[in-house]
mmCIF file of all heavy atoms in Angstrom:
data_model
loop_
_atom_site.group_PDB
_atom_site.id
_atom_site.type_symbol
_atom_site.label_atom_id
_atom_site.label_comp_id
_atom_site.label_asym_id
_atom_site.label_seq_id
_atom_site.Cartn_x
_atom_site.Cartn_y
_atom_site.Cartn_z
ATOM 1 N N ARG A 1 56.815 -28.614 -51.346
ATOM 2 C CA ARG A 1 57.715 -27.565 -51.735
ATOM 3 C C ARG A 1 57.704 -26.410 -50.703
ATOM 4 O O ARG A 1 56.840 -26.363 -49.875
ATOM 5 C CB ARG A 1 57.301 -27.044 -53.163
ATOM 6 C CG ARG A 1 57.509 -28.055 -54.287
ATOM 7 C CD ARG A 1 58.962 -28.301 -54.586
ATOM 8 N NE ARG A 1 59.117 -29.129 -55.816
ATOM 9 C CZ ARG A 1 59.190 -30.409 -55.816
ATOM 10 N NH1 ARG A 1 59.143 -31.038 -54.637
ATOM 11 N NH2 ARG A 1 59.379 -31.044 -56.947
ATOM 12 N N THR A 2 58.590 -25.529 -50.841
ATOM 13 C CA THR A 2 58.626 -24.420 -49.973
ATOM 14 C C THR A 2 57.490 -23.415 -50.309
ATOM 15 O O THR A 2 57.478 -22.794 -51.429
ATOM 16 C CB THR A 2 59.977 -23.626 -50.060
ATOM 17 O OG1 THR A 2 61.010 -24.547 -49.797
ATOM 18 C CG2 THR A 2 60.036 -22.470 -49.052
ATOM 19 N N PHE A 3 56.586 -23.297 -49.417
ATOM 20 C CA PHE A 3 55.343 -22.542 -49.700
ATOM 21 C C PHE A 3 55.668 -21.055 -49.995
ATOM 22 O O PHE A 3 55.006 -20.503 -50.868
ATOM 23 C CB PHE A 3 54.364 -22.641 -48.466
ATOM 24 C CG PHE A 3 53.083 -21.949 -48.639
ATOM 25 C CD1 PHE A 3 52.262 -22.257 -49.715
ATOM 26 C CD2 PHE A 3 52.619 -21.037 -47.694
ATOM 27 C CE1 PHE A 3 51.013 -21.676 -49.817
ATOM 28 C CE2 PHE A 3 51.378 -20.453 -47.814
ATOM 29 C CZ PHE A 3 50.535 -20.805 -48.937
ATOM 30 N N SER A 4 56.653 -20.570 -49.377
ATOM 31 C CA SER A 4 56.956 -19.090 -49.587
ATOM 32 C C SER A 4 57.525 -18.835 -50.988
ATOM 33 O O SER A 4 57.715 -17.682 -51.394
ATOM 34 C CB SER A 4 57.910 -18.561 -48.573
ATOM 35 O OG SER A 4 59.069 -19.331 -48.516
ATOM 36 N N ASN A 5 57.740 -19.894 -51.739
ATOM 37 C CA ASN A 5 58.274 -19.713 -53.174
ATOM 38 C C ASN A 5 57.104 -19.569 -54.117
ATOM 39 O O ASN A 5 57.355 -19.561 -55.366
ATOM 40 C CB ASN A 5 59.138 -20.934 -53.592
ATOM 41 C CG ASN A 5 60.477 -20.922 -52.858
ATOM 42 O OD1 ASN A 5 60.918 -19.925 -52.297
ATOM 43 N ND2 ASN A 5 61.122 -22.020 -52.922
ATOM 44 N N TYR A 6 55.874 -19.474 -53.628
ATOM 45 C CA TYR A 6 54.702 -19.429 -54.510
ATOM 46 C C TYR A 6 53.803 -18.219 -54.131
ATOM 47 O O TYR A 6 53.588 -17.998 -52.942
ATOM 48 C CB TYR A 6 53.890 -20.704 -54.356
ATOM 49 C CG TYR A 6 54.621 -21.945 -54.857
ATOM 50 C CD1 TYR A 6 55.516 -22.567 -54.103
ATOM 51 C CD2 TYR A 6 54.295 -22.467 -56.149
ATOM 52 C CE1 TYR A 6 56.181 -23.745 -54.627
ATOM 53 C CE2 TYR A 6 54.911 -23.627 -56.557
ATOM 54 C CZ TYR A 6 55.891 -24.212 -55.799
ATOM 55 O OH TYR A 6 56.506 -25.343 -56.301
ATOM 56 N N ALA A 7 53.286 -17.615 -55.136
ATOM 57 C CA ALA A 7 52.106 -16.796 -54.942
ATOM 58 C C ALA A 7 50.905 -17.695 -54.824
ATOM 59 O O ALA A 7 50.950 -18.880 -55.219
ATOM 60 C CB ALA A 7 51.851 -15.822 -56.100
ATOM 61 N N MET A 8 49.836 -17.227 -54.173
ATOM 62 C CA MET A 8 48.703 -18.116 -53.946
ATOM 63 C C MET A 8 47.374 -17.403 -54.361
ATOM 64 O O MET A 8 47.270 -16.201 -54.265
ATOM 65 C CB MET A 8 48.567 -18.455 -52.461
ATOM 66 C CG MET A 8 47.610 -19.589 -52.166
ATOM 67 S SD MET A 8 47.373 -19.766 -50.362
ATOM 68 C CE MET A 8 46.237 -18.400 -50.102
ATOM 69 N N GLY A 9 46.468 -18.218 -54.808
ATOM 70 C CA GLY A 9 45.144 -17.634 -55.159
ATOM 71 C C GLY A 9 44.031 -18.544 -54.771
ATOM 72 O O GLY A 9 44.244 -19.707 -54.440
ATOM 73 N N TRP A 10 42.855 -17.930 -54.763
ATOM 74 C CA TRP A 10 41.604 -18.693 -54.589
ATOM 75 C C TRP A 10 40.703 -18.480 -55.736
ATOM 76 O O TRP A 10 40.505 -17.310 -56.235
ATOM 77 C CB TRP A 10 40.916 -18.207 -53.260
ATOM 78 C CG TRP A 10 41.556 -18.650 -51.985
ATOM 79 C CD1 TRP A 10 42.446 -17.981 -51.239
ATOM 80 C CD2 TRP A 10 41.354 -19.890 -51.258
ATOM 81 N NE1 TRP A 10 42.829 -18.711 -50.196
ATOM 82 C CE2 TRP A 10 42.131 -19.873 -50.141
ATOM 83 C CE3 TRP A 10 40.535 -21.030 -51.527
ATOM 84 C CZ2 TRP A 10 42.174 -20.936 -49.240
ATOM 85 C CZ3 TRP A 10 40.563 -22.017 -50.629
ATOM 86 C CH2 TRP A 10 41.353 -22.024 -49.488
ATOM 87 N N PHE A 11 40.074 -19.560 -56.236
ATOM 88 C CA PHE A 11 39.106 -19.522 -57.237
ATOM 89 C C PHE A 11 37.829 -20.218 -56.734
ATOM 90 O O PHE A 11 37.858 -20.965 -55.772
ATOM 91 C CB PHE A 11 39.659 -20.278 -58.521
ATOM 92 C CG PHE A 11 40.709 -19.537 -59.231
ATOM 93 C CD1 PHE A 11 41.975 -19.397 -58.767
ATOM 94 C CD2 PHE A 11 40.401 -18.915 -60.472
ATOM 95 C CE1 PHE A 11 42.961 -18.709 -59.401
ATOM 96 C CE2 PHE A 11 41.402 -18.291 -61.203
ATOM 97 C CZ PHE A 11 42.644 -18.166 -60.693
ATOM 98 N N ARG A 12 36.774 -20.026 -57.525
ATOM 99 C CA ARG A 12 35.529 -20.770 -57.195
ATOM 100 C C ARG A 12 34.756 -21.188 -58.428
ATOM 101 O O ARG A 12 34.931 -20.555 -59.477
ATOM 102 C CB ARG A 12 34.642 -19.997 -56.226
ATOM 103 C CG ARG A 12 34.102 -18.657 -56.863
ATOM 104 C CD ARG A 12 33.369 -17.862 -55.788
ATOM 105 N NE ARG A 12 32.862 -16.573 -56.395
ATOM 106 C CZ ARG A 12 32.259 -15.621 -55.695
ATOM 107 N NH1 ARG A 12 32.157 -15.790 -54.379
ATOM 108 N NH2 ARG A 12 31.801 -14.559 -56.265
ATOM 109 N N GLN A 13 34.015 -22.224 -58.318
ATOM 110 C CA GLN A 13 33.270 -22.697 -59.489
ATOM 111 C C GLN A 13 31.898 -23.154 -58.951
ATOM 112 O O GLN A 13 31.753 -24.090 -58.222
ATOM 113 C CB GLN A 13 33.963 -23.877 -60.195
ATOM 114 C CG GLN A 13 33.351 -24.310 -61.457
ATOM 115 C CD GLN A 13 34.251 -25.259 -62.251
ATOM 116 O OE1 GLN A 13 35.238 -25.807 -61.708
ATOM 117 N NE2 GLN A 13 33.983 -25.320 -63.555
ATOM 118 N N ALA A 14 30.868 -22.482 -59.510
ATOM 119 C CA ALA A 14 29.495 -22.747 -59.267
ATOM 120 C C ALA A 14 29.019 -23.722 -60.330
ATOM 121 O O ALA A 14 29.570 -23.811 -61.363
ATOM 122 C CB ALA A 14 28.661 -21.518 -59.226
ATOM 123 N N PRO A 15 27.959 -24.520 -59.989
ATOM 124 C CA PRO A 15 27.411 -25.462 -60.927
ATOM 125 C C PRO A 15 27.032 -24.856 -62.257
ATOM 126 O O PRO A 15 26.400 -23.812 -62.311
ATOM 127 C CB PRO A 15 26.173 -26.055 -60.239
ATOM 128 C CG PRO A 15 26.432 -25.876 -58.828
ATOM 129 C CD PRO A 15 27.214 -24.583 -58.680
ATOM 130 N N GLY A 16 27.562 -25.431 -63.348
ATOM 131 C CA GLY A 16 27.259 -24.900 -64.692
ATOM 132 C C GLY A 16 28.043 -23.693 -65.073
ATOM 133 O O GLY A 16 27.752 -23.116 -66.174
ATOM 134 N N LYS A 17 28.983 -23.257 -64.228
ATOM 135 C CA LYS A 17 29.736 -22.038 -64.570
ATOM 136 C C LYS A 17 31.222 -22.340 -64.678
ATOM 137 O O LYS A 17 31.651 -23.360 -64.160
ATOM 138 C CB LYS A 17 29.435 -20.994 -63.525
ATOM 139 C CG LYS A 17 28.047 -20.445 -63.526
ATOM 140 C CD LYS A 17 27.901 -19.293 -62.572
ATOM 141 C CE LYS A 17 26.463 -18.712 -62.664
ATOM 142 N NZ LYS A 17 26.293 -17.501 -61.760
ATOM 143 N N GLU A 18 31.939 -21.473 -65.290
ATOM 144 C CA GLU A 18 33.396 -21.653 -65.393
ATOM 145 C C GLU A 18 34.063 -21.309 -63.967
ATOM 146 O O GLU A 18 33.468 -20.494 -63.171
ATOM 147 C CB GLU A 18 33.976 -20.733 -66.465
ATOM 148 C CG GLU A 18 33.563 -21.105 -67.859
ATOM 149 C CD GLU A 18 34.280 -20.403 -68.924
ATOM 150 O OE1 GLU A 18 34.982 -19.389 -68.588
ATOM 151 O OE2 GLU A 18 34.139 -20.741 -70.129
ATOM 152 N N ARG A 19 35.223 -21.808 -63.766
ATOM 153 C CA ARG A 19 36.001 -21.456 -62.576
ATOM 154 C C ARG A 19 36.368 -19.986 -62.718
ATOM 155 O O ARG A 19 36.922 -19.555 -63.708
ATOM 156 C CB ARG A 19 37.204 -22.375 -62.444
ATOM 157 C CG ARG A 19 37.870 -22.321 -61.102
ATOM 158 C CD ARG A 19 38.931 -23.360 -61.005
ATOM 159 N NE ARG A 19 38.326 -24.729 -61.090
ATOM 160 C CZ ARG A 19 38.989 -25.823 -60.847
ATOM 161 N NH1 ARG A 19 40.264 -25.772 -60.494
ATOM 162 N NH2 ARG A 19 38.357 -27.037 -61.013
ATOM 163 N N GLU A 20 36.140 -19.223 -61.603
ATOM 164 C CA GLU A 20 36.431 -17.789 -61.618
ATOM 165 C C GLU A 20 37.388 -17.404 -60.484
ATOM 166 O O GLU A 20 37.355 -18.026 -59.449
ATOM 167 C CB GLU A 20 35.157 -16.999 -61.526
ATOM 168 C CG GLU A 20 34.406 -17.168 -60.199
ATOM 169 C CD GLU A 20 33.227 -16.131 -60.040
ATOM 170 O OE1 GLU A 20 32.951 -15.381 -61.003
ATOM 171 O OE2 GLU A 20 32.574 -16.249 -59.007
ATOM 172 N N PHE A 21 38.187 -16.373 -60.776
ATOM 173 C CA PHE A 21 39.116 -15.859 -59.807
ATOM 174 C C PHE A 21 38.356 -15.164 -58.650
ATOM 175 O O PHE A 21 37.398 -14.498 -58.846
ATOM 176 C CB PHE A 21 39.956 -14.832 -60.551
ATOM 177 C CG PHE A 21 40.820 -14.014 -59.582
ATOM 178 C CD1 PHE A 21 42.024 -14.557 -59.122
ATOM 179 C CD2 PHE A 21 40.531 -12.687 -59.270
ATOM 180 C CE1 PHE A 21 42.839 -13.802 -58.253
ATOM 181 C CE2 PHE A 21 41.332 -11.975 -58.424
ATOM 182 C CZ PHE A 21 42.464 -12.516 -58.003
ATOM 183 N N VAL A 22 38.943 -15.382 -57.450
ATOM 184 C CA VAL A 22 38.348 -14.750 -56.260
ATOM 185 C C VAL A 22 39.382 -13.760 -55.625
ATOM 186 O O VAL A 22 39.133 -12.580 -55.436
ATOM 187 C CB VAL A 22 37.926 -15.815 -55.235
ATOM 188 C CG1 VAL A 22 37.510 -15.072 -53.901
ATOM 189 C CG2 VAL A 22 36.854 -16.690 -55.754
ATOM 190 N N ALA A 23 40.597 -14.257 -55.406
ATOM 191 C CA ALA A 23 41.637 -13.434 -54.724
ATOM 192 C C ALA A 23 42.992 -13.983 -54.913
ATOM 193 O O ALA A 23 43.103 -15.244 -55.182
ATOM 194 C CB ALA A 23 41.290 -13.317 -53.206
ATOM 195 N N ALA A 24 44.014 -13.168 -54.772
ATOM 196 C CA ALA A 24 45.366 -13.659 -54.890
ATOM 197 C C ALA A 24 46.225 -12.945 -53.869
ATOM 198 O O ALA A 24 45.926 -11.821 -53.492
ATOM 199 C CB ALA A 24 45.912 -13.487 -56.311
ATOM 200 N N ILE A 25 47.362 -13.536 -53.494
ATOM 201 C CA ILE A 25 48.288 -12.909 -52.542
ATOM 202 C C ILE A 25 49.715 -13.240 -52.952
ATOM 203 O O ILE A 25 49.985 -14.339 -53.398
ATOM 204 C CB ILE A 25 47.977 -13.381 -51.145
ATOM 205 C CG1 ILE A 25 48.736 -12.654 -50.034
ATOM 206 C CG2 ILE A 25 48.164 -14.856 -50.995
ATOM 207 C CD1 ILE A 25 48.273 -12.883 -48.622
ATOM 208 N N GLY A 26 50.582 -12.250 -52.757
ATOM 209 C CA GLY A 26 51.971 -12.443 -53.127
ATOM 210 C C GLY A 26 52.694 -13.396 -52.181
ATOM 211 O O GLY A 26 52.165 -13.682 -51.095
ATOM 212 N N TRP A 27 53.879 -13.762 -52.542
ATOM 213 C CA TRP A 27 54.597 -14.783 -51.753
ATOM 214 C C TRP A 27 54.966 -14.301 -50.359
ATOM 215 O O TRP A 27 55.048 -15.041 -49.420
ATOM 216 C CB TRP A 27 55.895 -15.188 -52.455
ATOM 217 C CG TRP A 27 56.991 -14.192 -52.579
ATOM 218 C CD1 TRP A 27 57.054 -13.251 -53.557
ATOM 219 C CD2 TRP A 27 58.045 -13.938 -51.752
ATOM 220 N NE1 TRP A 27 58.164 -12.475 -53.385
ATOM 221 C CE2 TRP A 27 58.796 -12.891 -52.210
ATOM 222 C CE3 TRP A 27 58.524 -14.559 -50.524
ATOM 223 C CZ2 TRP A 27 59.915 -12.439 -51.638
ATOM 224 C CZ3 TRP A 27 59.668 -14.069 -49.911
ATOM 225 C CH2 TRP A 27 60.353 -13.031 -50.488
ATOM 226 N N ARG A 28 55.114 -12.992 -50.135
ATOM 227 C CA ARG A 28 55.369 -12.436 -48.875
ATOM 228 C C ARG A 28 54.152 -12.108 -48.042
ATOM 229 O O ARG A 28 54.210 -11.847 -46.821
ATOM 230 C CB ARG A 28 56.274 -11.171 -48.946
ATOM 231 C CG ARG A 28 57.683 -11.450 -49.361
ATOM 232 C CD ARG A 28 58.485 -10.206 -49.356
ATOM 233 N NE ARG A 28 58.085 -9.185 -50.296
ATOM 234 C CZ ARG A 28 58.789 -8.102 -50.675
ATOM 235 N NH1 ARG A 28 59.979 -7.919 -50.113
ATOM 236 N NH2 ARG A 28 58.334 -7.243 -51.536
ATOM 237 N N GLY A 29 53.031 -12.081 -48.731
ATOM 238 C CA GLY A 29 51.750 -11.841 -48.018
ATOM 239 C C GLY A 29 51.403 -10.352 -47.899
ATOM 240 O O GLY A 29 50.474 -9.907 -47.227
ATOM 241 N N ASP A 30 52.187 -9.468 -48.526
ATOM 242 C CA ASP A 30 51.989 -8.062 -48.432
ATOM 243 C C ASP A 30 51.178 -7.438 -49.492
ATOM 244 O O ASP A 30 50.818 -6.222 -49.419
ATOM 245 C CB ASP A 30 53.312 -7.333 -48.203
ATOM 246 C CG ASP A 30 54.270 -7.591 -49.378
ATOM 247 O OD1 ASP A 30 54.009 -8.601 -50.138
ATOM 248 O OD2 ASP A 30 55.280 -6.864 -49.518
ATOM 249 N N ILE A 31 50.959 -8.155 -50.574
ATOM 250 C CA ILE A 31 50.198 -7.613 -51.748
ATOM 251 C C ILE A 31 49.057 -8.575 -51.989
ATOM 252 O O ILE A 31 49.208 -9.801 -52.056
ATOM 253 C CB ILE A 31 51.086 -7.519 -52.930
ATOM 254 C CG1 ILE A 31 52.250 -6.577 -52.664
ATOM 255 C CG2 ILE A 31 50.249 -7.019 -54.117
ATOM 256 C CD1 ILE A 31 53.261 -6.456 -53.773
ATOM 257 N N THR A 32 47.856 -8.024 -52.051
ATOM 258 C CA THR A 32 46.679 -8.784 -52.312
ATOM 259 C C THR A 32 45.909 -8.181 -53.474
ATOM 260 O O THR A 32 46.021 -7.054 -53.824
ATOM 261 C CB THR A 32 45.742 -8.919 -51.102
ATOM 262 O OG1 THR A 32 45.376 -7.604 -50.626
ATOM 263 C CG2 THR A 32 46.488 -9.597 -49.956
ATOM 264 N N HIS A 33 44.966 -9.025 -54.034
ATOM 265 C CA HIS A 33 44.152 -8.604 -55.186
ATOM 266 C C HIS A 33 42.850 -9.344 -55.095
ATOM 267 O O HIS A 33 42.868 -10.586 -54.818
ATOM 268 C CB HIS A 33 44.844 -8.837 -56.533
ATOM 269 C CG HIS A 33 44.068 -8.456 -57.709
ATOM 270 N ND1 HIS A 33 43.626 -7.181 -57.889
ATOM 271 C CD2 HIS A 33 43.642 -9.197 -58.743
ATOM 272 C CE1 HIS A 33 42.993 -7.187 -59.068
ATOM 273 N NE2 HIS A 33 42.905 -8.383 -59.602
ATOM 274 N N TYR A 34 41.720 -8.668 -55.336
ATOM 275 C CA TYR A 34 40.360 -9.341 -55.255
ATOM 276 C C TYR A 34 39.533 -9.053 -56.468
ATOM 277 O O TYR A 34 39.606 -7.954 -57.066
ATOM 278 C CB TYR A 34 39.643 -8.777 -53.990
ATOM 279 C CG TYR A 34 40.302 -9.048 -52.678
ATOM 280 C CD1 TYR A 34 41.225 -8.129 -52.117
ATOM 281 C CD2 TYR A 34 40.055 -10.235 -51.956
ATOM 282 C CE1 TYR A 34 41.873 -8.348 -50.993
ATOM 283 C CE2 TYR A 34 40.668 -10.424 -50.779
ATOM 284 C CZ TYR A 34 41.610 -9.515 -50.206
ATOM 285 O OH TYR A 34 42.237 -9.755 -49.045
#
């Protein structure tokens, strides 16, 4: 699909723990959140 049609995020999951949010970025790349 067209990648620029999506916001993107990174998550992580350590053993025995729930998946947790790390960072996100808007579709244009100009807005981020950590």
Side-chain angles (χ1 to χ4, degrees):
R1 291 289 188 270
T2 303
F3 185 52
S4 58
N5 287 345
Y6 294 79
M8 192 189 79
W10 286 94
F11 286 72
R12 65 187 180 186
Q13 187 167 18
K17 295 187 176 181
E18 293 188 352
R19 194 171 297 188
E20 65 172 358
F21 171 78
V22 175
I25 187 168
W27 66 275
R28 288 186 295 191
D30 56 345
I31 301 175
T32 58
H33 178 62
Y34 300 90

